[in-house]
Structures are given as C-alpha cells and as structure tokens.
Amino acid sequence: MTDTLTIPRPDDWHLHLRDGAMLKGVVGHTAAHFARAIVMPNLVPPVVTGADAAAYRDRIRAAIPASMDFEPLMTLYLTEATDADDVALAQASGLVKAVKLYPAGATTNSQSGVSNLDKVHGVLERMADIGLPLCVHGEVTDPDIDIFDREAAFIDRVLDPLRRRLPGLGVVMEHVTTADAVAYVQADTSGNLAATITTHHLIINRNHILAGGIRPHYYCLPVAKREKHRLALRSAACSDDERFFLGTDSAPHTDTAKLLPCGCAGIFTAPNTMSCLAHVFEEDDALDKLENFASRNGPAFYKMPVNSEMMILKKQPEPVSYPEQIETGAGTVTVFDPGFDLFWRVES
Ligand code: DOR
Ligand code: ZN
C-alpha cells in the first residue's frame, strides 16, 4: 500500500480570493499548497480592465505571507462593455491568462455579466485570434429552467452554439457538475475544450445538502447534483483524459453571510483540498492519476510549464485534523467538511 505520494506542486485553476481583510485571511491557505491559481474576477466592483487586474494582482501579492511562493494568474470579468484592445494588451503583457464569462444573474456577483452574447462577439473573436481562453460559468439563468438542469441547458442553448460560431476559441467549462458536461467535453474533437472539477463536487451530491436538514456550507453554484453525476465527475477526474483538471472554486464567505435566510453560494476548500483529493483518488484506486489532475493537465491546457518543485503527501495512521473554521479580519469562514476522516497530509 502506498503511503507517500510525490507530485509536482499543484495549481488551482479556479479560485476566489476576494479582497481586503478576506483576501488577507484566505490567501495563505492556498499559497501553502499551490504554486499558482487562476483568480476569479467577481469582486464588487468586478475586475474588468487590464488596469483593474494589475491593481488586484498587486493587492494579492501584498497579502501573500512572506515565506510563501505563489503566483496569482489574473482573469478579466467579461461585460457587454469590455474593450477587445484592452483585453489583448492585458494578455500581451503577460498579466491576464483568461477571461471569465458570467451569464448575468447566474451566481455571486454576476450582475455585471453578460445578458446578450452577441454584444461580446467581437471580444470573443479577438480572444480566439490571440489564443486567450474563455472560462465559463455554465448555467442558464432562465427562471423557468430547474436549477438542477441549468448546466445541461447551458450546453445546448449557449455553449454549443457559441463554440460552433467560434470553433477556434479556447473554452474552460468551469466547475462541471453533471454527466452531461463530462460527456460534452469527452465528445469534443477540436482540442480547444477543457473542464475544471472542484474538490467538493467529487465528494458531495445533493442529498448531502438537503437530506436530514439543510446544510448551508454545502451550498454552492452550480449546486451539487444527483449521485450519478458525482460518479461521472469522479471517473473523469480519475481518468487519463487530460481535458479534466482541478479548479477548486474555493469560495470563502463569512458564516454570517452563509447562515442567512438567503445565504451565499460558495464552499471554502483551500485548507484541506489536497487531503480530500488524495482520499478520493485513493478510494477510486487512482492515486497515480492525482498528479495529472492537480499538477499536469492544467498547465498543458494553459500552455504553461509544470511546476518544478515537488509536493509530498503522506498517509498518516491517525486522522489529520483541520480547523472547522478560520478567522479572518472579515469574519469567521467555515472550512469544507468532507464528512469522513482524512488521513493524507501535505508534508511539503
Ligand atoms: O458557489 C459559488 N460561489 N459559485 C460561484 O460561481 C461563485 C462563487 C462565489 O464567488 O462565491
Ligand atoms: Zn467560482
């Protein structure tokens, strides 16, 4: 039985770091394990221009604990007023690695997002030309579509038509939650499509949120689906298919904001993600695939080098403990509880 795993230092290809006191409170939890992360731009107000992204990158750098080595990979928040030249300049300078599409109203701080894709077609065309990927929050916002069907409907109504119009555009389907999304990626032959999978969607299904009491700390968007979908995500993550890679979507909210009659969507997994993933991959007899999922497939898609430093994970004889909550200057944030003991610990 393997009890030591050595992999190139992983990256997180979808992360929320927030700003101000929350940023200061959470960034070290990611930087302790991950070399780089694609940082989501859904601040209030959002990170729209190259200048916004440069200023946000500087605030992130200033918040990283001095002992840690971590590179934030910046994204721009696509709005109907986004300027294609500004986007191209931000990419050419090396500042920005992707643009994020939030359908307006789909999730937290998405109100400045896109209602009409025709209005951003020029920007998307330019991105296809310059090889800048679009990261997509893949849910329709139509109130007539059941929340559990919104990802599948997005593929049919929005994503597939968009990709037919712009086959050269690199697209990352972020935090996929359904067998439909997995199948859509698997069926692609363009080489321009990939998907991130979160840690929590490999572990929870919708029963965990709703059966036997409502658990706000398991509520995120896209919401976790039926068990058959979780199993499809597990087999995609643990497969040899390099189009699937880790994007934790670690999304801190204060407990006060989570535990409201209308609480926020988001699960904070940064501190224990690697322990959870090692557990999941071991359970699926795929420990040898964790390296591809967490450390190699993402850089390959984003055309970046794999990190040269290594991470060592060791399986402990006794459960490894993580704090139930962390304190930040913005308030207390609850850490994801996988619902089982964790034995894998990041040693270095
Ligand atoms: O659960 C989520 N939380 N999903 C998102 O798409 C946004 C995120 C957040 O920013 O809190
Ligand atoms: Zn997210």
mmCIF file of all heavy atoms in Angstrom, residues 270-289:
data_model
loop_
_atom_site.group_PDB
_atom_site.id
_atom_site.type_symbol
_atom_site.label_atom_id
_atom_site.label_comp_id
_atom_site.label_asym_id
_atom_site.label_seq_id
_atom_site.Cartn_x
_atom_site.Cartn_y
_atom_site.Cartn_z
ATOM 1 N N ALA A 270 -9.940 25.554 0.467
ATOM 2 C CA ALA A 270 -8.488 25.731 0.272
ATOM 3 C C ALA A 270 -7.636 24.955 1.292
ATOM 4 O O ALA A 270 -6.659 24.315 0.895
ATOM 5 C CB ALA A 270 -8.135 27.219 0.287
ATOM 6 N N PRO A 271 -7.976 24.960 2.588
ATOM 7 C CA PRO A 271 -7.044 24.340 3.538
ATOM 8 C C PRO A 271 -6.901 22.825 3.372
ATOM 9 O O PRO A 271 -5.814 22.285 3.556
ATOM 10 C CB PRO A 271 -7.655 24.664 4.907
ATOM 11 C CG PRO A 271 -8.519 25.865 4.665
ATOM 12 C CD PRO A 271 -9.057 25.676 3.277
ATOM 13 N N ASN A 272 -8.000 22.117 3.053
ATOM 14 C CA ASN A 272 -7.917 20.649 3.068
ATOM 15 C C ASN A 272 -8.128 20.003 1.700
ATOM 16 O O ASN A 272 -8.314 18.786 1.606
ATOM 17 C CB ASN A 272 -8.902 20.069 4.101
ATOM 18 C CG ASN A 272 -10.341 20.480 3.838
ATOM 19 O OD1 ASN A 272 -10.638 21.153 2.851
ATOM 20 N ND2 ASN A 272 -11.233 20.075 4.729
ATOM 21 N N THR A 273 -8.071 20.808 0.638
ATOM 22 C CA THR A 273 -8.335 20.256 -0.692
ATOM 23 C C THR A 273 -7.401 19.098 -1.049
ATOM 24 O O THR A 273 -7.855 18.063 -1.532
ATOM 25 C CB THR A 273 -8.238 21.367 -1.759
ATOM 26 O OG1 THR A 273 -9.533 21.940 -1.927
ATOM 27 C CG2 THR A 273 -7.829 20.834 -3.115
ATOM 28 N N MET A 274 -6.111 19.252 -0.828
ATOM 29 C CA MET A 274 -5.190 18.197 -1.275
ATOM 30 C C MET A 274 -5.402 16.920 -0.450
ATOM 31 O O MET A 274 -5.314 15.819 -0.984
ATOM 32 C CB MET A 274 -3.734 18.671 -1.214
ATOM 33 C CG MET A 274 -3.381 19.728 -2.256
ATOM 34 S SD MET A 274 -3.889 19.359 -3.977
ATOM 35 C CE MET A 274 -2.981 17.857 -4.327
ATOM 36 N N SER A 275 -5.711 17.057 0.830
ATOM 37 C CA SER A 275 -6.023 15.876 1.645
ATOM 38 C C SER A 275 -7.287 15.184 1.137
ATOM 39 O O SER A 275 -7.342 13.957 1.041
ATOM 40 C CB SER A 275 -6.256 16.268 3.104
ATOM 41 O OG SER A 275 -5.069 16.679 3.700
ATOM 42 N N CYS A 276 -8.286 15.999 0.816
ATOM 43 C CA CYS A 276 -9.548 15.435 0.300
ATOM 44 C C CYS A 276 -9.302 14.721 -1.025
ATOM 45 O O CYS A 276 -9.812 13.614 -1.255
ATOM 46 C CB CYS A 276 -10.581 16.536 0.081
ATOM 47 S SG CYS A 276 -11.269 17.249 1.572
ATOM 48 N N LEU A 277 -8.530 15.351 -1.900
ATOM 49 C CA LEU A 277 -8.311 14.757 -3.226
ATOM 50 C C LEU A 277 -7.546 13.443 -3.130
ATOM 51 O O LEU A 277 -7.873 12.468 -3.819
ATOM 52 C CB LEU A 277 -7.567 15.736 -4.138
ATOM 53 C CG LEU A 277 -8.379 16.940 -4.612
ATOM 54 C CD1 LEU A 277 -7.495 17.906 -5.387
ATOM 55 C CD2 LEU A 277 -9.582 16.506 -5.458
ATOM 56 N N ALA A 278 -6.524 13.418 -2.276
ATOM 57 C CA ALA A 278 -5.766 12.167 -2.138
ATOM 58 C C ALA A 278 -6.701 11.057 -1.654
ATOM 59 O O ALA A 278 -6.643 9.914 -2.130
ATOM 60 C CB ALA A 278 -4.589 12.363 -1.189
ATOM 61 N N HIS A 279 -7.590 11.395 -0.721
ATOM 62 C CA HIS A 279 -8.563 10.420 -0.216
ATOM 63 C C HIS A 279 -9.448 9.897 -1.353
ATOM 64 O O HIS A 279 -9.650 8.686 -1.509
ATOM 65 C CB HIS A 279 -9.409 11.087 0.871
ATOM 66 C CG HIS A 279 -10.369 10.166 1.543
ATOM 67 N ND1 HIS A 279 -10.166 9.683 2.813
ATOM 68 C CD2 HIS A 279 -11.544 9.617 1.115
ATOM 69 C CE1 HIS A 279 -11.172 8.884 3.138
ATOM 70 N NE2 HIS A 279 -12.033 8.837 2.131
ATOM 71 N N VAL A 280 -9.980 10.828 -2.140
ATOM 72 C CA VAL A 280 -10.887 10.474 -3.239
ATOM 73 C C VAL A 280 -10.172 9.598 -4.277
ATOM 74 O O VAL A 280 -10.694 8.562 -4.711
ATOM 75 C CB VAL A 280 -11.404 11.773 -3.908
ATOM 76 C CG1 VAL A 280 -11.974 11.517 -5.288
ATOM 77 C CG2 VAL A 280 -12.439 12.452 -3.014
ATOM 78 N N PHE A 281 -8.987 10.014 -4.672
ATOM 79 C CA PHE A 281 -8.274 9.262 -5.708
ATOM 80 C C PHE A 281 -7.848 7.886 -5.182
ATOM 81 O O PHE A 281 -7.873 6.911 -5.926
ATOM 82 C CB PHE A 281 -7.057 10.067 -6.229
ATOM 83 C CG PHE A 281 -7.437 11.079 -7.283
ATOM 84 C CD1 PHE A 281 -8.217 12.178 -6.966
ATOM 85 C CD2 PHE A 281 -7.027 10.933 -8.602
ATOM 86 C CE1 PHE A 281 -8.592 13.113 -7.938
ATOM 87 C CE2 PHE A 281 -7.389 11.855 -9.584
ATOM 88 C CZ PHE A 281 -8.168 12.947 -9.250
ATOM 89 N N GLU A 282 -7.491 7.809 -3.904
ATOM 90 C CA GLU A 282 -7.142 6.504 -3.347
ATOM 91 C C GLU A 282 -8.369 5.594 -3.327
ATOM 92 O O GLU A 282 -8.299 4.423 -3.698
ATOM 93 C CB GLU A 282 -6.574 6.659 -1.931
ATOM 94 C CG GLU A 282 -6.132 5.321 -1.358
ATOM 95 C CD GLU A 282 -5.557 5.445 0.048
ATOM 96 O OE1 GLU A 282 -6.109 6.200 0.874
ATOM 97 O OE2 GLU A 282 -4.547 4.764 0.306
ATOM 98 N N GLU A 283 -9.504 6.172 -2.927
ATOM 99 C CA GLU A 283 -10.744 5.399 -2.873
ATOM 100 C C GLU A 283 -11.073 4.811 -4.254
ATOM 101 O O GLU A 283 -11.613 3.723 -4.362
ATOM 102 C CB GLU A 283 -11.876 6.341 -2.447
ATOM 103 C CG GLU A 283 -12.891 5.749 -1.524
ATOM 104 C CD GLU A 283 -13.772 6.856 -0.954
ATOM 105 O OE1 GLU A 283 -14.340 7.671 -1.722
ATOM 106 O OE2 GLU A 283 -13.886 6.907 0.267
ATOM 107 N N ASP A 284 -10.753 5.559 -5.304
ATOM 108 C CA ASP A 284 -11.045 5.099 -6.668
ATOM 109 C C ASP A 284 -9.854 4.381 -7.299
ATOM 110 O O ASP A 284 -9.804 4.233 -8.529
ATOM 111 C CB ASP A 284 -11.476 6.290 -7.543
ATOM 112 C CG ASP A 284 -12.905 6.716 -7.242
ATOM 113 O OD1 ASP A 284 -13.465 6.221 -6.236
ATOM 114 O OD2 ASP A 284 -13.467 7.528 -7.987
ATOM 115 N N ASP A 285 -8.910 3.959 -6.449
ATOM 116 C CA ASP A 285 -7.742 3.223 -6.955
ATOM 117 C C ASP A 285 -6.995 3.999 -8.022
ATOM 118 O O ASP A 285 -6.537 3.407 -9.012
ATOM 119 C CB ASP A 285 -8.195 1.889 -7.568
ATOM 120 C CG ASP A 285 -7.896 0.759 -6.629
ATOM 121 O OD1 ASP A 285 -6.971 0.940 -5.825
ATOM 122 O OD2 ASP A 285 -8.599 -0.264 -6.692
ATOM 123 N N ALA A 286 -6.918 5.291 -7.861
ATOM 124 C CA ALA A 286 -6.345 6.127 -8.917
ATOM 125 C C ALA A 286 -5.342 7.135 -8.348
ATOM 126 O O ALA A 286 -5.172 8.213 -8.894
ATOM 127 C CB ALA A 286 -7.474 6.861 -9.641
ATOM 128 N N LEU A 287 -4.676 6.758 -7.268
ATOM 129 C CA LEU A 287 -3.712 7.695 -6.679
ATOM 130 C C LEU A 287 -2.682 8.165 -7.697
ATOM 131 O O LEU A 287 -2.226 9.303 -7.656
ATOM 132 C CB LEU A 287 -2.981 7.019 -5.513
ATOM 133 C CG LEU A 287 -3.488 7.319 -4.110
ATOM 134 C CD1 LEU A 287 -2.586 6.655 -3.082
ATOM 135 C CD2 LEU A 287 -3.588 8.821 -3.846
ATOM 136 N N ASP A 288 -2.360 7.263 -8.627
ATOM 137 C CA ASP A 288 -1.351 7.620 -9.640
ATOM 138 C C ASP A 288 -1.888 8.650 -10.645
ATOM 139 O O ASP A 288 -1.115 9.199 -11.423
ATOM 140 C CB ASP A 288 -0.864 6.357 -10.375
ATOM 141 C CG ASP A 288 -2.003 5.600 -11.033
ATOM 142 O OD1 ASP A 288 -3.134 5.612 -10.492
ATOM 143 O OD2 ASP A 288 -1.787 5.016 -12.105
ATOM 144 N N LYS A 289 -3.194 8.922 -10.628
ATOM 145 C CA LYS A 289 -3.776 9.888 -11.566
ATOM 146 C C LYS A 289 -3.894 11.295 -10.947
ATOM 147 O O LYS A 289 -4.186 12.266 -11.643
ATOM 148 C CB LYS A 289 -5.172 9.428 -12.012
ATOM 149 C CG LYS A 289 -5.186 8.063 -12.670
ATOM 150 C CD LYS A 289 -4.618 8.135 -14.067
ATOM 151 C CE LYS A 289 -4.210 6.814 -14.666
ATOM 152 N NZ LYS A 289 -5.175 5.778 -14.660
#
